[in-house]
Amino acid sequence: MTHDSQTAAPLRQPVLFIPHGGGPCFFMDWPKTWDNMAAYLRGISQTLPQKPDAILIVSGHWETPTPTLTAASNPPLIYDYHGFPPHTYHLQYPAPGAPALAAAIAQRLTDAGITATTDPTRGWDHGVFIPLMVAFEKADIPVIELSLQEKLDPAFHIRMGQALAPLRDENVLIIGAGMSYHNLRHFMADTPDAAYEAERFDTWLAHAACLPEQERNAALKQWHTAPTARFCHPREEHLLPLMVVAGAAGPDQGHSTYSEAVMGKALSGFTFGFPFGQDA
């Protein structure tokens, strides 16, 4: 279906939970390990109903007492990774910010009973700019990052996503960038036990994320009771972006759109909405 933006309202954007990879992994010599993930990220723009007017992205690398949105016109980059080649500390992603939209989103959250604010100086961490450099390499779509709330309550983050859901009808693409497995102590180790633990949790997560809305959200609120949950996420900050996405998905069905084992650890990505479950 073609879409004429001059004569029709924008189609609703989906919501995505994507892996952001390991540090600046897509921009260094790490043969084959991240190739499939990079291919998945590169293909995202072709799955959207139209080019977004803005991207709102939640990363597992920013936590604040009060949900906060970046509000710089040209946010700097935060190279919050360590021990990588020197050139990876000079990567650039010159997409613009969207201060007015950030303020409007903060007000939207506040109106929904979730006090929120903006930060006119903070930049984007690597959970934002690294995957976006692959998925939207032209850097021509305004980007706003939204922080996690530092208590890491899954129910709170689902509720936050629910308040953000109307943005989808305003041609804003909502992305949660994290990792469905994030035990760094075991990630690089080639241990069969860790691979088994990752597979068990990934199987549960792939099922839970694709349940009907009420069942899905109930399961995600209790994610820590899933098989091997705390082994795969000793701390849940990299899983919480999925909760925001699930809240913003509303009744849209989840679909697993990325699944592979990286260094033996099962990883997944999910899409909710267009082109699945909608009359496109």
Side-chain angles (χ1 to χ4, degrees), residues 86-110:
H87 77 271
T88 64
Y89 298 91
H90 299 280
L91 295 171
Q92 296 297 317
Y93 191 68
L101 180 58
I105 295 172
Q107 187 62 55
R108 186 188 298 266
L109 288 169
T110 299

Side-chain angles (χ1 to χ4, degrees), residues 154 180 196-211 215-230 232-233 239 242-243 266 268 270:
S180 59
Y196 172 70
E197 303 282 10
E199 181 63 32
R200 289 189 68 198
F201 181 71
D202 193 72
T203 298
W204 176 88
L205 188 66
H207 172 73
C210 299
L211 289 169
E215 297 171 57
R216 175 189 73 218
N217 291 350
L220 292 177
K221 288 175 185 178
Q222 298 297 318
W223 74 271
H224 59 280
T225 66
T228 72
R230 278 298 179 191
C232 296
H233 290 278
L239 190 63
L242 174 60
M243 313 313 180
S268 289
F270 302 98

Side-chain angles (χ1 to χ4, degrees), residues 26 46 66 191 240 276:
F26 309 116
Q46 278 66 56
T66 299
T191 56
L240 265 292
F276 307 104

Side-chain angles (χ1 to χ4, degrees), residues 67-71 99 102-104 106 116-120:
T68 304
L69 298 114
T70 56
T117 188
T118 59
D119 187 331

Side-chain angles (χ1 to χ4, degrees), residues 3 26 45 56 104 109 237 243 262 271:
H3 173 68
F26 309 116
S45 63
L56 175 64
L109 288 169
E237 79 286 347
M243 313 313 180
V262 176
T271 295

Side-chain angles (χ1 to χ4, degrees), residues 18-21 26 34-46 130-132 134-136 258:
I18 63 171
H20 63 56
F26 309 116
W34 305 98
D35 288 359
N36 290 337
M37 187 182 293
Y40 163 69
L41 294 174
R42 279 195 297 270
I44 284 174
S45 63
Q46 278 66 56
I130 291 295
L132 293 188
V134 182
F136 300 95
Y258 165 78

Side-chain angles (χ1 to χ4, degrees), residues 13-14 30 72 96 106 116-117 125 169 190 212 277:
Q13 288 288 351
W30 205 332
T117 188
D125 56 68
D169 292 312
D190 185 15

